[in-house]
Amino acid sequence: MTQPAPVAPRDAQPSAGPQDGARGGRRALGPRADARSLSLLGVLAALVVVGGLTRPDQFLAVSNLQLVLTQASVIGVVTVGMTFVITGGGIDLSVGAIVALASVWATTVATQEYGFAGILFTAAAVGLGCGLLNGLLIAYGGMAPFIATLAVLASARGLALQITDGSTQIVTVDAVLDLGVPDAYVLGVPPLVLVFAGVTVIGWLLLNRTTFGRRTVAVGGNAEAARLAGIDVRRQRLYLYLLSGLCCGVAAFLLIVLSGSGQNTNGNLYELDAIAAAIIGGTLLSGGRGTITGSVLGVLVFTTITNIFALNNLQSDVQQIAKGAIIVAAVLVQRRTLRDGAR
């Protein structure tokens, strides 16, 4: 009589592959992500109501709404890059310093002699160079992202101070300055906002519709499983920091247009604002999940809060307290979401 084949122990049963698990995770988290985006839209709508009630003649003015969107554009571009880094399981504390270094390097007298193209190219090149340094230290040097980017933060700030000697560098290139005047607006929309919208669309497509985005999520969710699945984890991490650096370079150029100058103090606390916006938008701080839409909404929420506080002459310390409370609430919601999803 033929003996029945032995049944494999439960632990030895084949399990779903990384891609199947990723698809299942995205399907399970999809409704939660949509709910978070809707809730952020609700918060943003509530803030608009508050601003309209407290300062109706100022907050709802077209010029003020244009200002809010313009200010959101600079930190928004940085946040898009930060979203990719965090989704990939990393962190970048150097983004504000990179913006400062790129802005002052791109506004030196020597650089301005090359006009619009020279300023734009220099800002992007400095951002990419700093991103490359971060990526090499982390991906191939084995340094912890916190330590590596903290070192680059200190070095970039010091170099920016050395270049400017503590003084403000005024931009004299008319082609750059003209982008910030109302005559350059397209159907009432400032060019900086259009750039931010373009970066957002490209970031969304890259994260959600390309192999690069799927690899980013896989590396952030489980780097070892991603390596076993054939993904070059180190190279992917290098690409993520290059992308973050490029976003910082673009943001530096936008800041140059907005302020008409380059200063070593530019980008102060941008790293905290970008991380906070990404977190409240739904990007998981431990990696493996990110949302460009949520990050952009997070930027708009923080920028609107700052604008409302400024119009109502409230102290900056109150603004920081409000931001801190929002961040804590967002993290608590994330933890509860993960705990519910694990059940």
Side-chain angles (χ1 to χ4, degrees), residues 119-284:
I119 293 177
L120 177 59
F121 174 80
T122 302
V126 171
L128 280 171
C130 293
L132 176 63
L133 179 58
N134 277 330
L136 290 175
L137 291 175
I138 294 167
Y140 293 94
M143 293 183 66
F146 181 90
I147 300 300
T149 57
L150 186 62
V152 173
L153 180 156
S155 301
R157 282 290 179 193
L159 185 55
L161 179 60
Q162 186 178 52
I163 291 175
T164 62
D165 197 22
S167 60
T168 300
Q169 299 178 163
I170 305 300
V171 177
T172 60
V173 179
D174 292 336
V176 174
L177 298 175
D178 289 344
L179 291 177
V181 300
D183 290 341
Y185 291 3
V186 180
L187 299 177
V189 181
L192 274 67
V193 178
L194 295 177
V195 172
F196 176 36
V199 171
T200 299
V201 171
I202 293 172
W204 187 90
L205 292 173
L206 194 61
L207 185 61
N208 296 281
R209 293 292 184 268
T210 66
T211 302
F212 180 86
R214 290 191 291 272
R215 288 175 177 173
T216 299
V217 173
V219 169
N222 190 324
E224 181 61 20
R227 185 186 67 82
L228 294 175
I231 297 175
D232 190 331
V233 174
R234 293 191 299 179
R235 185 173 60 187
Q236 185 68 21
R237 285 173 174 165
L238 175 62
Y239 288 162
L240 291 175
Y241 282 97
L242 279 172
L243 179 59
S244 178
L246 178 60
C247 286
C248 289
V250 173
F253 179 78
L254 297 183
L255 193 56
I256 291 171
V257 173
L258 184 62
S259 64
S261 64
Q263 304 176 53
N264 66 285
T265 56
N266 282 342
N268 188 35
L269 297 181
Y270 272 20
E271 56 276 1
L272 299 183
D273 289 341
I275 293 171
I279 291 174
I280 72 168
T283 299
L284 194 61

